[in-house]
Amino acid sequence: MSKIRILPDALASQVAAGEVVERPAALVRELVENSLDAGARHVEVHAQRGGCAMIRIVDDGSGMDREDAMLCLERHATSKIRTKEDLGAITTFGFRGEALPSIASVSRFRLATRERDSLVGTEVEVNGGKLVAVRDHGGAPGTVIEARSLFFNVPARRKFLRTEPTEFAHVEQQLRLHAIANPHVAFTLTHNGELVLHLPATRDMLERIRGLAGEELASRLLKVEEQTIHGITISGYIGGPGMSRSNRQMQTTYLNGRPIESSSISYGLREGYHTALMKGQYPITFLFIQMDPHAFDVNVHPAKKEVRFHDGNAVREAISRAISRTLENANKLPTGHAPAKPALVLRPSPETTPAARQEQFSMPVERASAPLRQAAPQQPSIQPVPHVPAPAPQVEKTSAEPPAPPIQSSEKTARPAEKTEAPDFRIIGVLQKLYVLMESAEGLVLMDQHAAHERVNFEKIRRALESGGVPCQRLLMPITLQTTPRDADLLRQNLAALGRLGIEIDSFGPNTFKVEAVPAFLKTDDPAAWLDDVIEELRSLSAKSSSLRLSEDAIATTACRASVKSNDALSIPELQALLKDLFTCEMPYCCPHGRPTLVQISTAELERKFGRRAPG
Ligand code: ADP
Ligand code: MG
């Protein structure tokens, strides 16, 4: 006897429902998409008990006539595509004709709908896939869809539902995704009868983001000016350097209005943020991508969350360029009233012991205390205030560079593009040999000296790399390195990259290496200790990656970090030079690891702290 059977329709729908509607948030996704496809201007979402007890969506879209109201519950019934060709260029959210029958098969389902110019509408009731009633409906034009007791007839799936708060959090997140992409549509969300979100329609995308993410975050976003690269149009808002999250929740990207995830897009974002993003952190983005619907396939994921691009590289590159341009154009100093208030956490660097700290406070009297006295309140505008001049138009060399004979002549070093003018900061003093306190027109600015140094060195290296290699200084006495076999492998895999970075290193036996030269930017009396630091960092980097061969950028950031580890207290002119160098950088506001280099506490913020101004 044959074993294969065609499944009855109701069962087939339940099977399909397993893929399409995995939780209440998925209902919200499908139903809101339908409302948007129907041209709704107002969409209400009501949830009870996380959406498990009930989800109701009310819209003022086109509505359906009786025939369609019955048909839409059949599997593969859709008004959105007709031919195979349509499937190649989908412009609506829906196209499979699967959602409504799937939802109706796993819930107590009610659909009430009326077309704008029909006198009477239709109400259909379905119970776990079985049609229970069809009657006239006298409600407002548009569509109401209600799904109660989700999975009441599929206990195996009900078990996978999480707690009400968790399910509701997903519902809310789902609605937020749609709300951001459709500011012209008003949205309302209630939970157990209480209003959770109320978003009036607006023409201004930023206004909508403000309504969802709050004034504070919205005010710190950078606008991505609409630009078309490789035929891909990109626009939206993104977080600036140093603004990030430890999860992807705020990394929202849309393709032709559909919220999607895609590895090409994620790579593009990461590449675009480059060193403006701390490792393990995710950017904050509200990014809109528009492209020819023939150039990708949305029909690859049951929840239509992922797409397949025909040319993923073009997408990656377009995004990366749009992001890096936006970041480079941004000229905003991180302010002290960021939610995490990093400005006020003046921690000593971890390597400073209490004893060492005491020393720092008492020792560099000639350096730090003189300018500190200048800032004393009774003498507000005293004498030689060290102002930092704007950088000369071409900055080729800085005083910090040792006069060692470079391999490459430094003339070859590419000149940085037109950069931000160095602001007129007055240096007040240095806290804990690390934080440089400065006065600006807006208030207090703190510079993390190490982070700034890392950024400066990193960009010097990168510019040098782009023009052939990093200048190096030959050591009088070559250094011999004895390594473990694993470190030896690591070094051998990266010899070429290290060479380009100015570290002239050669294999000299199975686990032995000879170092003849180190980068010219390095200012140290103990290059061997520096090399140890570099190797240690490379080792921990490689432990996290699957291959021993590391990217040139990774090695460069490593070399920079090690180069500033043992920085001494700097004199005021040295600090001025550093600040000036920092502002010739492409990305002055964060170090290559994404930490801020400068933080500002505005006068207004200080006034609030001292009770001179009402908290705003
Ligand atoms: P799809 O969206 O893939 O077409 P659905 O099962 O989600 O499949 O919906 C089936 C059809 O029902 C849609 O093609 C549309 O014609 C109609 N429909 C669903 N929801 C609405 C709505 N809120 N307003 C008007 N028509 C709707
Ligand atoms: Mg649909």
Side-chain angles (χ1 to χ4, degrees):
M1 205 178 91
S2 70
K3 291 185 205 116
I4 299 178
R5 300 230 185 313
I6 304 285
L7 292 178
D9 241 24
L11 188 53
S13 289
Q14 277 185 16
V15 173
E19 297 217 311
V20 184
V21 287
E22 71 274 32
R23 61 184 350 158
L27 270 68
V28 171
R29 179 189 64 233
E30 294 295 334
L31 299 176
V32 171
E33 283 186 359
N34 281 346
S35 298
L36 293 170
D37 278 343
R41 292 280 146 164
H42 291 85
V43 177
E44 287 172 23
V45 177
H46 304 278
Q48 296 274 348
R49 307 186 52 183
C52 308
M54 187 214 69
I55 290 279
R56 185 194 310 126
I57 314 269
V58 184
D59 73 43
D60 61 352
S62 63
M64 287 176 265
D65 65 14
R66 180 149 307 183
E67 195 184 340
D68 277 355
M70 301 301 296
L71 247 181
C72 75
L73 297 167
E74 300 285 333
R75 297 194 61 217
H76 309 304
T78 178
S79 56
K80 298 171 193 173
I81 59 170
R82 288 179 191 277
T83 64
K84 198 171 99 219
E85 284 66 44
D86 291 346
L87 194 57
I90 289 163
T91 55
T92 49
F93 288 115
F95 53 86
R96 292 190 183 129
E98 231 171 31
L100 293 186
S102 298
I103 296 169
S105 74
V106 292
S107 68
R108 303 184 201 280
F109 181 92
R110 189 174 73 92
L111 160 75
T113 185
R114 195 187 125 197
E115 288 183 301
R116 190 151 299 278
D117 27 60
S118 303
L119 284 177
V120 65
T122 305
E123 182 172 342
V124 183
E125 243 179 83
V126 181
N127 216 341
K130 283 191 211 75
L131 185 66
V132 182
V134 182
R135 41 178 109 81
D136 283 353
H137 162 70
T143 302
V144 180
I145 290 181
E146 191 179 274
R148 291 185 171 273
S149 318
L150 185 61
F151 299 138
F152 78 97
N153 55 344
V154 205
R157 296 210 61 85
R158 203 166 56 229
K159 275 207 305 247
F160 285 101
L161 291 175
R162 299 299 171 85
T163 62
E164 282 174 29
T166 303
E167 292 301 339
F168 184 72
H170 285 281
V171 164
E172 191 180 339
Q173 169 71 3
Q174 185 62 46
L175 191 66
R176 283 167 180 271
L177 280 176
H178 287 300
I180 288 164
N182 298 280
H184 60 288
V185 178
F187 288 93
T188 304
L189 173 65
T190 72
H191 189 211
N192 299 333
E194 276 181 39
L195 187 67
V196 177
L197 279 178
H198 175 66
L199 301 163
T202 166
R203 264 191 239 151
D204 178 7
M205 168 78 59
L206 194 57
E207 172 70 33
R208 176 53 59 88
I209 295 174
R210 210 175 280 133
L212 282 165
E215 176 68 51
E216 217 283 315
L217 186 133
S219 69
R220 293 159 66 218
L221 293 174
L222 308 176
K223 181 164 196 217
V224 180
E225 297 296 343
E226 187 174 305
Q227 46 198 293
T228 303
I229 303 165
H230 302 319
I232 300 160
T233 302
I234 297 171
S235 63
Y237 290 88
I238 60 168
M243 261 174 96
S244 62
R245 290 284 186 275
S246 55
N247 59 43
R248 260 183 237 266
Q249 282 239 337
M250 286 278 217
Q251 180 184 313
T252 49
T253 50
Y254 298 83
L255 179 60
N256 295 356
R258 182 194 304 279
I260 53 145
E261 286 162 23
S262 128
S263 53
S264 302
I265 294 180
S266 291
Y267 283 132
L269 290 175
R270 197 143 275 287
E271 228 173 74
Y273 270 93
H274 192 52
T275 57
L277 201 64
M278 236 185 274
K279 232 191 279 155
Q281 292 287 100
Y282 297 92
I284 298 175
T285 65
F286 304 93
L287 203 66
F288 296 86
I289 304 158
Q290 297 286 339
M291 60 194 279
D292 180 355
H294 290 96
F296 60 90
D297 187 0
V298 277
N299 194 18
V300 293
H301 187 271
K304 295 172 278 183
K305 263 197 240 169
E306 284 167 26
V307 297
R308 190 176 296 135
F309 292 108
H310 297 179
D311 186 356
N313 274 337
V315 174
R316 200 200 69 224
E317 208 180 286
I319 292 189
S320 155
R321 270 204 247 160
I323 298 284
S324 59
R325 270 187 209 161
T326 306
L327 293 174
E328 279 163 25
N329 292 340
N331 190 12
K332 258 193 188 162
L333 204 53
T335 55
H337 67 233
K341 291 214 178 355
L344 301 178
V345 195
L346 291 178
R347 267 182 273 115
S349 60
E351 61 269 359
T352 15
T353 60
R357 243 178 288 151
Q358 265 193 346
E359 222 177 6
Q360 284 164 24
F361 273 116
S362 50
M363 242 195 21
V365 184
E366 337 78 74
R367 284 176 177 169
S369 68
L372 267 176
R373 238 181 282 125
Q374 289 172 12
Q378 44 302 35
Q379 304 162 302
S381 62
I382 332 182
Q383 48 134 342
V385 189
H387 273 290
V388 181
Q394 357 190 338
V395 185
E396 303 269 49
K397 263 195 193 171
T398 69
S399 54
E401 225 154 45
I407 294 180
Q408 305 265 309
S409 86
S410 50
E411 263 57 64
K412 271 187 88 180
T413 309
R415 188 152 58 81
E418 286 305 302
K419 286 305 150 228
T420 337
E421 291 253 301
D424 232 3
F425 292 154
R426 187 175 69 85
I427 298 176
I428 302 168
V430 183
L431 189 65
Q432 292 166 346
K433 271 193 350 197
L434 177 60
Y435 301 106
V436 184
L437 309 180
M438 298 177 289
E439 183 183 343
S440 76
E442 280 98 63
L444 179 67
V445 177
L446 295 111
M447 173 168 73
D448 179 324
Q449 188 181 308
H450 282 194
H453 233 121
E454 274 187 53
R455 166 55 66 185
V456 168
N457 283 350
F458 176 72
E459 294 210 3
K460 261 190 220 164
I461 293 184
R462 205 166 54 183
R463 284 199 295 273
L465 275 174
E466 278 162 12
S467 55
V470 176
C472 64
Q473 48 184 328
R474 206 149 284 284
L475 297 167
L476 287 177
M477 294 273 288
I479 299 168
T480 308
L481 289 174
Q482 295 287 345
T483 66
T484 62
R486 195 184 148 80
D487 282 356
D489 278 345
L490 177 66
L491 287 175
R492 264 193 294 275
Q493 288 286 320
N494 295 290
L495 279 185
L498 289 166
R500 280 192 296 281
L501 286 163
I503 307 175
E504 221 175 82
I505 179 169
D506 275 313
S507 188
F508 192 61
N511 298 323
T512 312
F513 294 83
K514 197 162 77 180
V515 181
E516 305 254 19
V518 293
F521 70 82
L522 188 67
K523 261 177 61 180
T524 174
D525 307 331
D526 194 352
W530 175 79
L531 277 168
D532 280 346
D533 282 347
V534 171
I535 294 169
E536 190 185 318
E537 293 228 10
L538 291 179
R539 196 186 298 133
S540 70
L541 258 183
S542 76
K544 286 176 215 142
S545 97
S546 52
S547 131
L548 278 180
R549 182 162 308 165
L550 300 165
S551 77
E552 219 162 62
D553 261 7
I555 302 178
T557 53
T558 299
C560 291
R561 172 178 279 184
S563 74
V564 298
K565 253 192 185 154
S566 54
N567 250 351
D568 301 323
L570 295 181
S571 67
I572 295 288
E574 282 170 320
L575 289 173
Q576 286 174 318
L578 174 60
L579 188 62
K580 192 170 124 190
D581 285 352
L582 183 63
F583 276 92
T584 63
C585 288
E586 287 183 14
M587 189 107 34
Y589 297 115
C590 66
C591 81
H593 301 90
R595 283 188 299 274
T597 52
L598 293 161
V599 155
Q600 177 166 282
I601 305 174
S602 67
T603 311
E605 177 83 4
L606 288 172
E607 283 172 350
R608 271 196 293 276
K609 294 242 177 290
F610 285 105
R612 293 177 178 275
R613 181 192 268 240

